[in-house]
Amino acid sequence: MIAPHDAPAPLLFPEPLREGTILARPNRFIMDVGFGDGVPVRCHCPAVSRIGDLDLTGRPCLVSDSHNPRRKLPLTVEAFSLQRPDDPHKRWIGINQNASNRYVEHFLREDALKAITGPVRHLRREVPLGSSRLDFLVNENQYLEVKTPLVQIQTAIPPWVPTVPPAPFNSTERVQRHLRELAASLQHNERAVILYCLYYANDGFRYYHGTTYEEVLACVGEARAAGVELWQADFAITPESVALTDYHPLEEW
């Protein structure tokens, strides 16, 4: 854990997120949310993949408002909780994978990840590398790619949260391409890092044991042998902010 006296300033949201209840997920882009008045409100779901093997119906959630009248769905579900709706001390699991890049950028600029990057003097976003665009180039010599894995939620699932049968998962081409391109970048750069961002209590992320696990494991081994580093960052979301609570290298996969 990051010591309290070393804790970086959290990223404050422009306005507090609004709490509601997930009523349904009609498709992967949409969640219907209730806010206590009995009228479902259609919201954008930013996680287009499965979210664990969970049925999120009835789960408390946090919703942001873009205040953009041009958006078809101005509200976005940012997080959900595994706790009961009436629990006054909910812990929230973030599901906005695009927002992870904003969070990481904030903490990079706060020098909160300096065990990975050292002091940050220059920072660029969406940098071309091979056939990809990677998330960050730090100090012109360190590539950093952000991942927010949601296919599995690797934490204790309480008995009142229903699950659904797991579906086959073999969409790993992008992950492997990034690993190979990061490894190749080390011919010209000092460091190459993949940072796995988690929003729940977890003792160490493990890659999903899907149909291509052995193939991905071999690719990870080759990338690590070339010098690519795998790190985990832990975040805590509240209605008001997101905080970086810990980060450490992933020693195992």
Side-chain angles (χ1 to χ4, degrees):
M1 294 290 290
I2 297 175
H5 61 274
D6 291 330
L11 173 63
L12 300 178
F13 297 127
E15 63 182 12
L17 305 179
R18 185 180 179 188
E19 184 171 336
T21 301
I22 298 171
L23 304 177
R25 188 181 183 184
N27 63 46
R28 60 181 183 161
F29 301 104
I30 292 172
M31 285 181 172
D32 290 334
V33 175
F35 292 102
D37 57 5
V39 180
V41 178
R42 188 139 286 187
C43 301
H44 172 59
C45 176
V48 298
S49 66
R50 291 183 297 128
I51 302 173
D53 296 320
L54 304 177
D55 179 353
L56 296 181
T57 304
R59 294 295 87 229
C61 66
L62 294 177
V63 176
S64 65
D65 190 339
S66 68
H67 298 289
N68 183 352
R70 294 190 296 272
R71 273 185 52 171
K72 183 178 179 181
L73 299 175
L75 303 184
T76 296
V77 178
E78 300 285 349
F80 73 95
S81 178
L82 293 170
Q83 292 160 278
R84 299 184 188 276
D86 59 355
D87 191 322
H89 305 293
K90 298 182 186 70
R91 294 179 298 277
W92 300 99
I93 297 175
I95 62 170
N96 192 334
Q97 293 163 308
N98 290 328
S100 283
N101 286 26
R102 298 199 302 272
Y103 304 159
V104 169
E105 180 175 8
H106 169 81
F107 292 110
L108 284 170
R109 295 190 184 279
E110 290 285 316
D111 270 342
L113 297 165
K114 58 187 175 184
I116 302 176
T117 63
V120 175
R121 299 179 301 276
H122 304 285
L123 188 63
R124 288 200 282 148
R125 290 278 303 267
E126 296 293 321
V127 182
L129 177 65
S131 60
S132 302
R133 297 184 71 85
L134 298 187
D135 293 319
F136 296 98
L137 180 62
V138 183
N139 297 335
E140 301 300 328
N141 62 8
Q142 303 172 38
Y143 283 106
L144 190 148
E145 175 71 7
V146 174
K147 302 290 184 187
T148 307
L150 292 173
V151 172
Q152 280 191 328
I153 301 296
Q154 298 178 4
T155 192
I157 307 300
W160 58 80
V161 177
T163 59
V164 296
F169 177 72
N170 58 10
S171 180
T172 57
E173 179 182 351
R174 186 168 181 265
V175 171
Q176 293 184 68
R177 185 177 74 249
H178 284 172
L179 282 165
R180 294 189 178 102
E181 289 174 341
L182 282 167
S185 79
L186 288 166
Q187 299 173 30
H188 310 287
N189 295 281
E190 292 183 5
R191 302 185 77 175
V193 173
I194 293 185
L195 182 66
Y196 287 90
C197 297
L198 300 185
Y199 296 87
Y200 50 85
N202 181 282
D203 293 331
F205 174 71
R206 298 292 182 269
Y207 190 75
Y208 176 67
H209 283 238
T211 55
T212 57
Y213 176 72
E214 296 300 330
E215 181 182 348
V216 173
L217 194 65
C219 186
V220 168
E222 293 169 4
R224 276 187 155 157
V228 175
E229 301 172 38
L230 274 61
W231 289 69
Q232 174 179 323
D234 299 327
F235 297 90
I237 289 183
T238 70
E240 293 77 28
S241 65
V242 56
L244 175 68
T245 60
D246 193 20
Y247 70 105
H248 54 83
L250 282 171
E251 301 296 343
E252 299 180 16
W253 190 260

